[in-house]
Amino acid sequence: MTSSNVDVSRLPTTTFSHRSLAWWGTLGFMAIEGTTLFIGVVAYFYLSRNFQTWPPEHTVRPSLLWPTVQVLLLLASLVPTVLADRAAYRIDLAKLRQWFVVMLVFEVASVIVRWQEFLSLNVRWDSNAYGSAAWTLVGLHSTLLLADLIETATLTAIFYSSRRLDRHYSDATDVTFYWYFLVATWIPIYVIVYLSPRLM
């Protein structure tokens, strides 16, 4: 048998997008969570077929103020997210730190507003099938929002520490990629949970 040596010294120490295993892991997680949210939407409309009106009679329709604030907040958060994504690709530590802090502020604000969104449903989770379906759908998305907040906070701390590695720049792009997913999935949930009861 003969052996050959391969020089890998010139290969990049970090990779981005589909060339990164972590990116595929993030994409898989998004597929799983997207399926979960889709099942929640299907359950919401399936349960609505058991009632003549949806929400059921004598159930107050959800308020729109805080949910609409959340939508605007999430859309605005895309600006620092895109800028952080670009900084990570350029390996620009100073800009990445700056925009990750701004992202973190937006995410904290989104979690705070999310609590107000639960109150805006104007129904308890155990009041009826409508309340359970609405709380479940908003709750499912809330777990993802909280998980991303923790991940963003952790990476922000890493970028301000001496323990950062080149691969963390790729991790940063995965976080921004996942945030796009969170924003994109919340828009239809907002329409379904908060707007559709005024139309059905």
Side-chain angles (χ1 to χ4, degrees), residues 16-59:
F16 297 94
S17 187
H18 63 278
R19 293 181 297 168
S20 167
L21 287 177
W23 184 88
W24 287 102
T26 302
L27 185 64
F29 187 72
M30 287 161 56
I32 293 170
E33 296 303 333
T35 302
T36 303
L37 292 171
F38 178 74
I39 291 172
V41 169
V42 171
Y44 180 90
F45 285 112
Y46 175 79
L47 290 171
S48 71
R49 298 180 63 184
N50 298 324
F51 297 83
Q52 291 185 340
T53 60
W54 190 256
E57 290 184 11
H58 311 300
T59 302

Side-chain angles (χ1 to χ4, degrees), residues 86-106:
R86 292 176 180 174
Y89 273 102
R90 294 195 308 267
I91 319 293
D92 186 340
L93 179 60
K95 290 294 184 182
L96 187 59
R97 283 173 170 172
Q98 171 188 327
W99 293 118
F100 251 70
V101 169
V102 178
M103 280 177 59
L104 190 58
V105 171
F106 270 101

Side-chain angles (χ1 to χ4, degrees), residues 63-105:
S63 304
L64 293 180
L65 174 60
W66 286 108
T68 303
V69 168
Q70 180 74 290
V71 168
L72 296 175
L73 189 64
L74 290 176
L75 290 175
S77 74
L78 292 176
V79 175
T81 303
V82 169
L83 294 173
D85 193 26
R86 292 176 180 174
Y89 273 102
R90 294 195 308 267
I91 319 293
D92 186 340
L93 179 60
K95 290 294 184 182
L96 187 59
R97 283 173 170 172
Q98 171 188 327
W99 293 118
F100 251 70
V101 169
V102 178
M103 280 177 59
L104 190 58
V105 171

Side-chain angles (χ1 to χ4, degrees), residues 144-183:
L144 307 182
L145 193 65
L146 187 59
D148 193 78
L149 170 61
I150 294 170
E151 187 173 14
T152 301
T154 301
L155 261 183
T156 302
I158 288 173
F159 283 123
Y160 276 92
S161 75
S162 59
R163 296 186 177 183
R164 64 183 179 277
L165 303 172
D166 285 347
R167 66 177 177 82
H168 289 132
Y169 290 98
S170 179
D171 293 339
T173 62
D174 292 337
V175 169
T176 58
F177 182 38
Y178 190 70
W179 187 253
Y180 300 146
F181 166 76
L182 285 181
V183 175

